[in-house]
Amino acid sequence: QVQLVESGGGLVQAGGSLRLSCVLSGRTFTTFRMGWFRQAPGKEREFVAAISRSVATTLYGDSVKGRFTISREYAKNTVSLQMTSLKVEDTAVYYCAAAERMGVSGRAYEYSNWGQGTQVTVSS
């Protein structure tokens, strides 16, 4: 059974940076495409970033392009999201997700495994 545990959320001022991490356990990390999604109060879940099994391909949501970077570290079974130039509108619960699929995708229904989420709050 796959388990995903996120960490690194918190409170940061606008313009600041934050790094989220997610550790996958229970299955072989290399077989999973990894993604980050977020959900703000009263809004639908939004795609943030994804990275392929081989790190050859990454994909970003339009609202975070140029500001966020997704990466993965195989030795630690970890996927990270480096967030810079944070805006108040980046405030949300951020979820790590995993899919046993090739390539990358921002479609939430393709991800069958989800973490519990970590809160990111950006203050003005």
Side-chain angles (χ1 to χ4, degrees):
Q1 183 177 353
V2 175
Q3 288 190 321
L4 299 170
V5 179
E6 303 100 332
S7 61
L11 174 64
V12 63
Q13 285 192 326
S17 299
L18 208 57
R19 186 178 182 88
L20 305 182
S21 294
C22 170
V23 178
L24 184 149
S25 61
R27 294 284 298 278
T28 304
F29 183 58
T30 54
T31 64
F32 289 89
R33 167 207 302 168
M34 302 299 296
W36 287 96
F37 292 78
R38 68 186 182 186
Q39 188 165 19
K43 295 188 177 182
E44 293 186 353
R45 189 165 293 189
E46 177 189 13
F47 168 69
V48 175
I51 187 166
S52 64
R53 300 193 292 192
S54 66
V55 307
T57 306
T58 57
L59 182 68
Y60 295 92
D62 288 342
S63 61
V64 306
K65 280 181 183 177
R67 300 188 298 122
F68 291 11
T69 302
I70 189 171
S71 61
R72 62 192 297 167
E73 188 172 356
Y74 293 99
K76 296 183 178 181
N77 287 359
T78 298
V79 61
S80 297
L81 185 70
Q82 179 67 46
M83 305 185 293
T84 63
S85 302
L86 282 162
K87 305 175 181 180
V88 172
E89 50 265 42
D90 292 320
T91 296
V93 177
Y94 283 70
Y95 296 92
C96 175
E100 277 190 293
R101 290 173 178 252
M102 296 182 68
V104 288
S105 169
R107 294 182 285 269
Y109 66 82
E110 292 190 9
Y111 294 81
S112 55
N113 304 283
W114 294 83
Q116 293 299 307
T118 185
Q119 177 70 46
V120 172
T121 303
V122 184
S123 63
S124 60

